[in-house]
């Protein structure tokens, strides 16, 4: 059985429903999304995510985060957490014997 199913589609325009002919819904434990306007899909996610399911949005701007958190609250999501993930580049240089002392 499949544990992870990946789909590539326009979820803002089409939502998460895959088969319109039989009106079936995807039932998901989690969704991971990287969108410029994630607040536009929150209502779609609430229709397909199991109760207690997790959703993760990647948003580079705090304004995106604020609008998304607001939409999550309006759609019944609870226990919303926001965290910042930083990537830092390091330069590794070799020290001379003198610098090691």
């Amino acid at each position: 059985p499949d544990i992870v199913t990946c789909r590539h589609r326009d979820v803002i325009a089409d939502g998460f429903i895959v088969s319109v002919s039989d009106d079936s819904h995807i039932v998901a434990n989690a969704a991971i999304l990287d969108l410029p306007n994630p607040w536009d899909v929150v209502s779609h996610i609430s229709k397909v995510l199991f109760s207690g399911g997790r959703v993760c949005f990647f948003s580079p701007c705090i304004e995106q985060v604020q609008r998304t958190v607001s939409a999550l609250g309006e759609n019944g999501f609870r226990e919303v957490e926001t965290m910042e993930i930083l990537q830092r580049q390091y330069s590794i240089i070799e020290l001379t014997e003198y610098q090691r002392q």
Side-chain angles (χ1 to χ4, degrees), residues 2-99:
D2 291 334
I3 296 173
V4 175
T5 302
C6 295
R7 304 238 191 258
H8 183 264
R9 58 187 287 123
D10 185 347
V11 294
I12 294 172
D14 304 325
F16 293 91
I17 297 172
V18 172
S19 177
V20 178
S21 62
D22 63 1
D23 199 33
S24 65
H25 296 274
I26 299 172
V27 181
N29 291 312
I32 301 170
L33 301 160
D34 187 358
L35 302 167
N37 47 340
W39 54 89
D40 286 337
V41 300
V42 171
S43 63
H44 294 305
I45 292 172
S46 64
K47 296 173 186 171
V48 297
L49 199 62
F50 275 123
S51 178
R54 305 282 179 134
V55 61
C56 173
F57 296 100
F58 291 96
S59 298
C61 302
I62 192 63
E63 293 82 8
Q64 289 173 302
V65 174
Q66 291 169 324
R67 287 184 73 172
T68 304
V69 168
S70 177
L72 288 166
E74 292 168 5
N75 283 274
F77 285 86
R78 303 290 176 255
E79 299 183 39
V80 176
E81 295 181 28
T82 302
M83 65 183 70
E84 182 176 26
I85 301 170
L86 297 175
Q87 179 180 347
R88 295 184 185 180
Q89 191 169 6
Y90 292 94
S91 296
I92 308 300
I93 59 170
E94 190 172 322
L95 298 176
T96 65
E97 187 62 38
Y98 176 77
Q99 291 170 315

